[in-house]
Amino acid sequence: QVDFVEAGGGVVQPGGSLTLSCTVSGSIVTIYTMGWYRRAPGKQRELVAIISNGENVHYVDSVKGRFTISRDDAKNAVYLQMNSLNSEDTAVYYCYTRLKHPFLLTKSEYWGQGTQVTVSS
C-alpha cells in the first residue's frame, strides 16, 4: 500500500497555467514509472503523461507542447506543468505510479485520489 499527496488543482481561465504535484510514500523499494491520468466528464480515463525512472517521457497527443512532466526521485514526487489550458483539459487528474514493494516479486500499480482541474472563463 502507498499513500499519495496530490496538490495543485483548481480553477483557471482558458490560456492559463497550473502545476500539479504528487508525492508517494510507503513501503517502496523502487519507483519505476510515475505519471498522470485524467477523466473528463462523460469520458473514459486517459493517460496524460508518463515518465520512467530513466527519464523517458510520453504524452498524449492533445497535450504535447503544452504540458511538461518531471520527477524528483529524492522526494518520490512527480509534477505536471500545464500551460495554455483549454476547456478540453477540464478533468479529474490522477497521479499514477508503478513500483516495487520489498518482499514482493512483482511490480504494483497505484492511482491517487485525484485532483480537479477546471478550465473556465
Side-chain angles (χ1 to χ4, degrees):
Q1 188 69 9
V2 298
D3 294 314
F4 288 83
V5 177
E6 296 169 307
V11 180
V12 63
Q13 292 187 339
S17 299
L18 283 174
T19 299
L20 305 182
S21 65
C22 170
T23 301
V24 177
S25 62
S27 182
I28 300 169
V29 174
T30 303
I31 294 179
Y32 296 98
T33 305
M34 301 189 82
W36 294 91
Y37 283 71
R38 68 185 179 188
R39 186 191 299 273
K43 295 185 178 180
Q44 291 187 331
R45 184 176 63 185
E46 68 170 349
L47 172 65
V48 177
I50 204 159
I51 182 168
S52 72
N53 57 347
E55 302 286 336
N56 293 315
V57 299
H58 170 78
Y59 298 96
V60 67
D61 285 345
S62 61
V63 309
K64 286 180 180 177
R66 300 188 298 121
F67 290 10
T68 302
I69 190 170
S70 61
R71 61 189 283 172
D72 183 339
D73 289 336
K75 298 179 179 179
N76 286 351
V78 62
Y79 308 95
L80 187 67
Q81 173 67 44
M82 304 184 293
N83 298 325
S84 301
L85 286 160
N86 59 60
S87 59
E88 302 275 309
D89 298 315
T90 294
V92 178
Y93 285 70
Y94 299 90
C95 183
Y96 163 84
T97 185
R98 186 166 179 253
L99 52 79
K100 188 178 182 307
H101 294 295
F103 314 117
L104 293 181
L105 297 178
T106 59
K107 298 171 185 174
S108 302
E109 294 183 308
Y110 297 95
W111 281 263
Q113 71 277 11
T115 184
Q116 177 70 46
V117 172
T118 302
V119 184
S120 175
S121 56

